[in-house]
Amino acid sequence: MTQAPPVNVTVTGAAGQIGYALLFRIASGQLLGQDKPVRLRLLEIPQAVKAAEGVALELEDCAFPLLAGTDIFDDPKKAFEGTNIALLVGARPRTKGMERGDLLEANGGIFKPQGEAINAGAADDVKVLVVGNPANTNALIAQANAPDVPAERFTAMTRLDHNRALAQLATKLAVPVSDIKKMTIWGNHSATQYPDIFHAEVKGENAAAAVNDQTWLAEEFIPRVAKRGAEIIEVRGASSAASAASAAIDHVHDWVNGTPEGDWVSMAVPSDGSYGVPAGLISSFPVTTTGGRYEIVQGLDLDDFSRDRIDASVKELADERDAVRKLGLI
Ligand code: NAD
Ligand code: LMR
């Protein structure tokens, strides 16, 4: 039997923490499936190329049957040439004294050229996941600089928030996570995000009804999920890495292979105006996927409690968009 040609997967920030947790899972077949060989294309800044080379040596030593090869680049134009799946992980972290505007500007310097490189050289079927923070707005910058690529191919990661919400709810109800379906994260991957259990189901029963504890929902669950990234930084002394890599695998796996019947996942995708989110903002929604395409779940009722929280997070996204527009990045 002849093997399928390898899928080109570009990973930026390949020598970083998330990269180290991510690359081995991609190469082992967990990203795309056990019948899909992959060729890794790693992008790093020149100072980190040597460390990326070390990771490539370890990848070689795993003798993964599905890994067709690993190439390392410090030039985005080359790294995105022919890429089918682009995982944009590398970003400029916020350092002491840096304002949010400074962070947006610094990341613009990364995601603008990467968007241009994807536009110039990626494969026609390219799918992009932005993990590097601020993920939604970095995705917007990359997308705006890739006018020849359909906008819907640019997504940002809120699957980690989705998974965190599943885990917190499962613990509260003392059920396995697999009993919970239809969790939703709305808005920005930031502390303003809104994890919504009003449409979630626990073994077919409405999750909010099963919890029946508004105080827990408003004062524990929502802030715990929304601020979990900060909690990990505080406790671990570094930002989440393995859980972020795992969520990136889940995001792309489900985008490519489809969501199960009767369930959905959360992805930050360019809004089509659904649920009053201004068109074009890359905001998290409940989505189903099939045949490599996603669709925003329609027709969910939102009460004032949910509406106010979604609006607040969407406003933050609109403010970030306005800031990067002022900087000439989009
Ligand atoms: P890290 O600092 O360990 O690694 C980042 C890597 O990116 C470094 O090796 C760096 O050299 C590289 N890099 C910087 N600029 C680059 C460029 N222009 N091109 C290519 N590579 C570049 O960080 P990490 O822990 O791996 O986290 C990466 C990003 O993911 C951070 O922005 C972090 O905040 C974000 N993150 C997002 C989520 C999410 O849920 N969306 C979760 C966790 C972390
Ligand atoms: C996370 O959600 O764990 C990260 O986005 C936190 C961070 O600021 O890196």
Side-chain angles (χ1 to χ4, degrees), residues 11-20 43-45 47-48 51 73-74 76 88-94 107 109-111 114 130-136 138 156-161 164 189 233 236 238-241 243-245 247:
V11 179
T12 77
Q17 289 197 88
I18 295 176
Y20 196 65
L43 178 67
E44 258 299 349
I45 52 173
Q47 309 88 287
F73 305 93
D74 62 7
L88 276 48
V89 177
R92 172 75 199 275
R94 196 202 298 238
N107 278 301
I110 295 174
F111 289 87
Q114 290 186 0
V130 176
V131 174
N133 280 322
N136 302 51
N138 287 340
M157 192 165 92
T158 50
R159 185 62 177 266
L160 179 54
D161 312 294
R164 287 166 171 167
H189 171 68
I233 291 170
R236 198 175 92 88
S239 77
S240 62
S243 55

Side-chain angles (χ1 to χ4, degrees), residues 280-321:
L281 282 184
I282 299 192
S283 188
S284 188
F285 290 98
V287 303
T288 55
T289 63
T290 179
R293 297 172 70 89
Y294 60 79
E295 267 181 46
I296 297 172
V297 175
Q298 297 296 326
L300 302 179
D301 286 331
L302 299 170
D303 64 8
D304 289 347
F305 180 90
S306 295
R307 189 71 259 173
D308 289 352
R309 284 165 174 77
I310 295 170
D311 288 349
S313 196
V314 168
K315 179 178 181 308
E316 182 182 55
L317 283 173
D319 290 347
E320 289 183 13
R321 176 202 55 201

